[in-house]
Amino acid sequence: MNDLYQIISSRRDTRHFTAEPVPEKVLEKALKAGHYAPSVGLTDATRYYIIESAEIKSQIKKLFLAYHEKAASATDNTAQKAAYSKLKLEAIEEAPIGMVIAYDRSVLDSFTIGTVGSNEAIKFSAVCAAQNIWLSLTEQGFSMGWVSILNYHDFKAILDIPEHIEPLGYFCIGKPATDYGNQPMLQQLNWRQKATTPNVTKITTGHIIENIEKTTKAPFSESNTDLKQKLQYKIDHKTKPEGALGILEKLALQIGLVFQTELPKILNPHIVVFAADHGIANHGVSAYPQEVTRQMITNFLEGGAAINVFCNQNHIQLEIVDAGVNYDFPTNTKLIHKKVGKGTQSFLHTAAMSATELELCLSYGAEIVNAIYEKGSNCVGFGEMGIGNTSTASVLMSMLTPFSIAECVGKGTGVENEKLDKKIAILSQAISNYNGNTDLDEVLVHFGGFEILQMAGGMLHAFEKNMLILVDGFISSVAFLIAFKKNPKIKANAVFCHCSEEKAHKLLLEYLEVEPVMHLRMRLGEGSGCAVAFPVIQSAVAFLNEMSSFESAGVSNK
């Protein structure tokens, strides 16, 4: 087979192989073709692992079967599930050779041409290598099958692949037993028909992106002082000693002032979890791989996370936002799709985002909260998810407050000892590398996170709409810090739901001169502190509205 287009059109994602061994020279030629693929910045970041051990193949097959069952349960209907279950989607144990094609994200530890704009370019290079190998094998009369239905964390553990190496998947290599009627297998089995022509759109005009002018307004009317006095009188004259309900009394006063009434009521409460990935995670600052962000989003959507449980318990509407996860979720996923990019750039070497992306984050956050407000909600909590975002939050706190980076760095997802020292060293180096000024927006462009900035934009808009703002833990509080720097009046509407175990959170709350509702030694994120604190906040409203006064109860006051 010599004609290039014949080779391309004959390439198959093969699931059926003969027992014929793969000659070493065939594999060497295919790997050389992979090495000839484009390599962003000539990093040569693509890595190859060859597997012939039956024991290892058996372990990988078990991983596939577990996720194959999970995939079957995710099908759209019973008929589709039955059809899916009949498909042969791997040949892990049958194929003579197994190969893992991966990429080394540690190349991003130093400046890499072509990655400013998308740090996924190293992944794209590895995909190009995979295609070259596929075509070379096809030309030599062999073939390959790509298996991606795997738990990648366990996959890497089985193969003892280093943390900084990210596999594209497992590739089965051998002599094809069929050409599937010279068509894709899924087409032959009538699962889906491949389009006969490429989907091409010619763009002739574009849109000019303009910055949206944002205005803020004072949340309270001229009678705010009078209302405050009335609320305080009402609180003090309940059937209790003054101050006996502690922070509940402060909450009741605050909520009455936010809603501008002596009879406040929380309506249609929402918690929004903003999720995104961070370029700084490529440098090993987290105890977990970046793919956990995407996996946790799936867990949220399936109702299995702590935030789901607590929201269900307390009748809170939960929304999940893809603010910048390094993964393409299906368009019909029940997410709010506000992806600014597939993760930020690593601020160790360059700005995390552009000024345009910063504005987009703030705008998206405002849009999300506005949609919630228009559904009749007057209370919104802010949570987050993103591997590496405690590092981003720590640097932002250090840049925006008097605290050193060492004071602002904590365990995050569980980083300790030498790894914690490494985390502090990396973040210190990132701050040292920064040669910009202290202008707020310039700092946010260089060190920001997509989900953190969308939260800040959402908080600012919630303030404009006189909504009660529930702030979760350390990362959400850093988002609030940004909003506070833009409009200090926002503090009047904010309830800080708890003080987390992140050591910097206590310092930040003291800096903001605010008192948290709870101290439960939590450090989960997800908005979990907002959901757990919500019954306490409702208790403040309940006693203000329903508890008898000395006068109405006929009880003597002092």
Side-chain angles (χ1 to χ4, degrees):
M1 199 181 299
N2 297 313
D3 180 76
L4 174 62
Y5 287 96
Q6 185 185 4
I7 294 168
I8 292 172
S9 63
S10 300
R11 183 205 62 79
R12 292 287 168 263
D13 194 359
T14 302
R15 310 300 185 190
H16 300 80
F17 295 92
T18 70
E20 181 179 332
V22 179
E24 192 171 325
K25 65 179 182 179
V26 170
L27 193 58
E28 286 178 357
K29 186 176 181 181
L31 286 166
K32 186 173 287 187
H35 189 61
Y36 288 152
S39 172
V40 62
L42 288 182
T43 52
D44 288 329
T46 305
R47 303 286 181 265
Y48 308 96
Y49 301 86
I50 305 299
I51 298 161
E52 296 177 291
S53 162
E55 184 180 350
I56 295 175
K57 288 180 179 178
S58 174
Q59 290 293 316
I60 296 170
K61 176 69 173 282
K62 289 176 182 176
L63 279 186
F64 166 82
L65 290 174
Y67 259 45
H68 183 49
E69 185 178 339
K70 186 174 183 178
S73 66
T75 50
D76 294 335
N77 50 59
T78 304
Q80 189 182 62
K81 181 177 182 178
Y84 174 85
S85 299
K86 293 177 182 177
L87 296 175
K88 180 173 175 55
L89 297 177
E90 53 78 35
I92 295 167
E93 294 181 305
E94 298 96 313
I97 298 289
M99 180 187 291
V100 177
I101 303 175
Y103 58 95
D104 183 352
R105 54 182 168 80
S106 72
V107 300
L108 295 169
D109 287 353
S110 56
F111 174 73
T112 302
I113 292 174
T115 61
V116 177
S118 174
N119 54 24
E120 283 199 292
I122 57 167
K123 180 195 292 186
F124 302 154
S125 297
V127 173
C128 290
Q131 177 73 333
N132 274 17
I133 290 171
W134 227 319
L135 295 176
S136 174
L137 288 168
T138 302
E139 185 270 335
Q140 298 179 80
F142 289 79
S143 190
M144 188 161 77
W146 189 342
V147 181
S148 60
I149 305 173
L150 301 164
N151 179 316
Y152 275 66
H153 181 69
D154 292 342
F155 183 42
K156 289 171 65 173
I158 287 172
L159 301 175
D160 197 24
I161 292 176
E163 180 189 345
H164 56 89
I165 303 294
E166 300 294 346
L168 297 179
Y170 182 92
F171 294 83
C172 308
I173 297 175
K175 192 80 170 180
T178 175
D179 68 355
Y180 305 108
N182 198 29
Q183 60 186 313
M185 182 191 77
L186 294 180
Q187 179 169 291
Q188 184 189 48
L189 297 175
N190 295 315
W191 177 267
R192 180 167 293 174
Q193 297 298 301
K194 186 173 180 64
T196 55
T197 57
N199 187 333
V200 181
T201 302
K202 187 174 183 179
I203 298 175
T204 57
T205 59
H207 297 282
I208 297 173
I209 299 174
E210 297 178 353
N211 291 333
I212 300 171
E213 195 80 28
K214 291 183 174 64
T215 59
T216 58
K217 61 183 181 182
F220 304 133
S221 66
E222 291 296 323
S223 61
N224 191 53
T225 301
D226 292 340
L227 176 62
K228 184 176 181 179
Q229 290 175 347
K230 290 177 181 178
L231 282 165
Q232 192 63 60
Y233 181 89
K234 184 177 179 182
I235 291 166
D236 291 343
H237 286 75
K238 296 294 184 180
T239 49
K240 60 170 183 59
E242 287 186 18
L245 288 178
I247 198 170
L248 292 180
E249 298 189 18
K250 291 183 178 180
L251 284 171
L253 176 63
Q254 180 185 14
I255 294 168
L257 290 172
V258 170
F259 295 154
Q260 286 287 279
T261 177
E262 294 179 64
L263 291 167
K265 185 176 182 181
I266 294 176
L267 305 172
N268 195 13
H270 278 62
I271 290 176
V272 188
V273 179
F274 295 78
D277 281 309
H278 296 254
I280 195 65
N282 291 319
H283 306 288
V285 295
S286 174
Y288 290 88
Q290 192 177 75
E291 66 194 45
V292 171
T293 305
R294 182 262 301 173
Q295 292 169 351
M296 280 304 301
I297 298 303
T298 303
N299 193 25
F300 295 150
L301 296 174
E302 292 176 351
I307 188 60
N308 300 98
V309 173
F310 297 144
C311 282
N312 290 339
Q313 176 191 13
N314 296 311
H315 308 291
I316 303 168
Q317 182 69 37
L318 178 64
E319 302 283 1
I320 311 298
V321 179
D322 175 8
V325 180
N326 187 11
Y327 182 75
D328 291 315
F329 292 99
T331 54
N332 62 350
T333 305
K334 292 182 179 179
L335 284 168
I336 298 176
H337 296 275
K338 295 293 183 182
K339 191 192 295 287
V340 176
K342 290 185 176 180
T344 55
Q345 300 297 307
S346 170
F347 55 66
L348 182 61
H349 301 299
T350 188
M353 66 187 73
S354 68
T356 300
E357 288 172 327
L358 166 60
E359 286 299 316
L360 196 58
C361 285
L362 297 174
S363 177
Y364 278 169
E367 288 176 14
I368 291 163
V369 169
N370 193 64
I372 290 169
Y373 170 77
E374 289 184 347
K375 288 192 288 186
S377 175
N378 63 2
C379 175
V380 58
F382 292 84
E384 43 61 43
M385 175 63 211
I387 295 301
N389 64 4
T390 51
S391 293
T392 300
S394 296
V395 172
L396 287 170
M397 176 178 166
S398 182
M399 294 295 295
L400 300 178
T401 68
F403 301 110
S404 69
I405 187 61
E407 292 174 292
C408 298
V409 174
K411 294 180 181 180
T413 50
V415 175
E416 295 184 286
N417 304 325
E418 291 181 6
K419 199 156 187 177
L420 181 59
D421 292 339
K422 178 186 174 184
K423 178 178 178 179
I424 294 171
I426 289 170
L427 300 184
S428 297
Q429 186 60 52
I431 292 173
S432 178
N433 291 346
Y434 177 61
N435 56 15
N437 60 42
T438 57
D439 173 75
L440 176 59
D441 282 358
E442 191 164 336
V443 170
L444 298 179
V445 163
H446 196 91
F447 294 109
F450 293 143
E451 83 279 36
I452 294 173
L453 292 169
Q454 287 197 24
M455 282 195 288
M459 290 173 182
L460 287 165
H461 194 77
F463 173 70
E464 290 185 19
K465 295 297 184 182
N466 292 351
M467 299 177 77
L468 192 65
I469 300 167
L470 307 185
V471 185
D472 187 25
F474 174 56
I475 296 157
S476 296
S477 295
V478 169
F480 179 85
L481 173 66
I482 294 166
F484 174 75
K485 293 288 184 179
K486 287 184 171 288
N487 186 356
K489 293 179 181 179
I490 193 173
K491 195 159 69 169
N493 290 48
V495 174
F496 293 83
C497 294
H498 73 116
C499 182
S500 83
E501 278 290 89
E502 284 293 316
K503 68 174 186 177
H505 195 203
K506 182 174 184 292
L507 293 176
L508 182 53
L509 296 179
E510 289 173 353
Y511 173 82
L512 291 167
E513 299 179 335
V514 295
E515 183 179 7
V517 175
M518 306 181 305
H519 293 78
L520 296 180
R521 298 201 295 275
M522 295 170 63
R523 55 180 181 88
L524 177 62
E526 303 177 6
S528 55
C530 300
V532 171
F534 187 72
V536 178
I537 296 166
Q538 283 282 48
S539 294
V541 175
F543 101 77
L544 179 65
N545 292 340
E546 300 172 27
M547 186 176 176
S548 298
S549 66
F550 285 107
E551 184 180 3
S552 66
V555 176
S556 299
N557 197 353
K558 63 179 180 180

